[in-house]
Amino acid sequence: MGKYTKQYGLYLETVSCVPINEYTTDWFRSTSGVRQGNVLSPTFFSLFINDLAAGIKSTGIGVPFRDTKLSILLYADDVLLLAESEKDLQDLMDFTQDWCLKWRMKINNSKTKMMHFRNTRRPDRILSSSMEVLPWRKSINTSIWASF
């Protein structure tokens, strides 16, 4: 019980400051998120984001892969959504946005990209005006890569 209490205490009364050049801000309370650099933080974040992956998978949207549909890939705080059509990708993005609102997460728009795999043309409309569309020529599917 002692080890558990010590680890749990790791996230009680957490305070942070931000270094800016040779200065640091005043200390302030951190009430959400995981501690950067702590050995448990990747595990805590994986447990947290697993809910998003389960929800995305439950939509039934994705690209065929062997005997399943592949709809989401996760690596650290990066998320890759996969869909066969613009509409399906929009549905996955809407699901992700609702999940983010529910859990007070923010997607880093400057790191968010969309890639269309198709022979003929670019998408009719960009799903988000702030999202960069990457060029590609093969025709397979549509995907989006976002970072929290």
Side-chain angles (χ1 to χ4, degrees):
M1 180 80 168
K3 285 185 178 180
Y4 177 77
T5 303
K6 288 180 184 176
Q7 294 301 332
Y8 180 73
L10 175 72
Y11 283 90
L12 293 176
E13 301 298 324
T14 302
V15 292
S16 303
C17 69
V18 179
I20 304 170
N21 296 324
E22 67 271 6
Y23 302 101
T24 58
T25 65
D26 292 336
W27 290 90
F28 56 92
R29 284 193 63 210
S30 299
T31 58
S32 63
V34 295
R35 285 189 164 187
Q36 187 173 355
N38 184 276
V39 296
L40 291 177
S41 294
T43 302
F44 289 157
F45 188 77
S46 292
L47 292 169
F48 176 73
I49 198 127
N50 189 60
D51 182 51
L52 172 63
I56 291 287
K57 186 175 179 178
S58 74
T59 66
I61 297 171
V63 296
F65 180 74
R66 297 191 180 157
D67 60 349
T68 189
K69 285 207 170 205
L70 187 59
S71 55
I72 186 168
L73 298 173
L74 303 168
Y75 181 76
D77 63 348
D78 292 330
V79 175
L80 176 67
L81 299 176
L82 300 160
E84 290 188 275
S85 69
E86 293 172 26
K87 182 202 175 305
D88 285 352
L89 183 60
Q90 184 65 58
D91 289 346
L92 293 180
M93 290 175 57
D94 291 344
F95 185 95
T96 303
Q97 181 180 17
D98 291 345
W99 184 88
C100 287
L101 290 172
K102 177 181 177 182
W103 296 109
R104 298 184 311 181
M105 291 283 291
K106 290 184 181 177
I107 293 175
N108 185 338
N109 287 331
S110 68
K111 292 183 177 181
T112 301
K113 312 287 184 221
M114 183 177 82
M115 184 177 286
H116 255 222
F117 298 89
R118 59 174 27 169
N119 287 328
T120 57
R121 60 180 169 76
R122 293 175 67 89
D124 294 330
R125 57 199 164 288
I126 306 302
L127 301 173
S128 171
S129 59
S130 64
M131 192 181 312
E132 180 183 355
V133 177
L134 303 173
W136 193 261
R137 296 187 184 249
K138 301 286 182 186
S139 176
I140 300 175
N141 59 34
T142 302
S143 63
I144 183 170
W145 175 20
S147 185
F148 290 98

